[in-house]
């Protein structure tokens, strides 16, 4: 699977799980939910152009985006763990791992 396909797949997973998190979390988790939304927005800005980035530029173009997304997800997970929302923090942990694996493959 290409980097652009994996990028889109990860975005889809984060977006889908964001909807699930809105369903299972109380309103008090709004900050964490907003961080997940920000991560989606960051990736959404690149979804159309990711396939057009030349191979030799993938790392320099996508790494900053993926690092920001990972940081946003990590902050959301920490907030949820602090408030003892274990299921939600586990969902975000798995999303973080997908972003991290893609970063490593760049």
């Amino acid at each position: 699977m290409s980097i652009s396909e994996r990028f889109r797949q990860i975005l889809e997973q984060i977006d889908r799980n964001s909807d699930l998190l809105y369903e299972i979390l109380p309103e008090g988790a709004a900050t964490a939910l907003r961080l997940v939304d920000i991560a989606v927005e960051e990736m959404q800005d690149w979804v159309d152009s990711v396939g057009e980035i030349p191979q030799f530029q993938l790392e320099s173009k996508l790494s900053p985006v993926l690092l920001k997304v990972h940081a946003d997800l990590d902050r959301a997970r920490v907030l949820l763990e602090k408030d003892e929302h274990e299921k939600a923090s586990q969902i975000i942990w798995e999303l973080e791992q997908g972003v991290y694996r893609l970063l490593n493959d760049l």
Side-chain angles (χ1 to χ4, degrees):
M1 184 179 305
S2 72
I3 295 294
S4 60
E5 289 171 339
R6 289 177 58 200
F7 184 93
R8 290 182 183 105
Q9 182 182 44
I10 290 169
L11 171 58
E12 185 179 305
Q13 289 171 344
I14 295 171
D15 194 29
R16 189 173 347 111
N17 281 293
S18 173
D19 294 339
L20 173 65
L21 293 171
Y22 271 98
E23 292 174 16
I24 66 173
L25 289 171
E27 287 183 28
T31 303
L33 290 168
R34 181 65 188 131
L35 287 166
V36 175
D37 288 342
I38 290 169
V40 169
E41 291 167 10
E42 289 282 331
M43 291 185 78
Q44 193 67 46
D45 290 344
W46 286 87
V47 75
D48 291 332
S49 62
V50 70
E52 299 170 5
I53 299 172
Q55 184 71 29
F56 67 93
Q57 292 181 349
L58 278 173
E59 182 178 0
S60 65
K61 299 278 186 182
L62 291 184
S63 290
V65 174
L66 293 172
L67 286 169
K68 173 83 170 84
V69 167
H70 189 277
D72 290 337
L73 292 174
D74 194 53
R75 287 176 43 214
R77 181 183 54 80
V78 168
L79 288 171
L80 293 171
E81 284 179 351
K82 183 180 124 240
D83 292 339
E84 298 180 1
H85 297 293
E86 297 302 319
K87 181 178 179 182
S89 63
Q90 182 60 38
I91 290 169
I92 292 177
W93 172 253
E94 291 175 20
L95 297 172
E96 281 183 81
Q97 294 306 302
V99 172
Y100 185 73
R101 283 190 291 277
L102 182 56
L103 265 168
N104 279 339
D105 290 344
L106 287 178

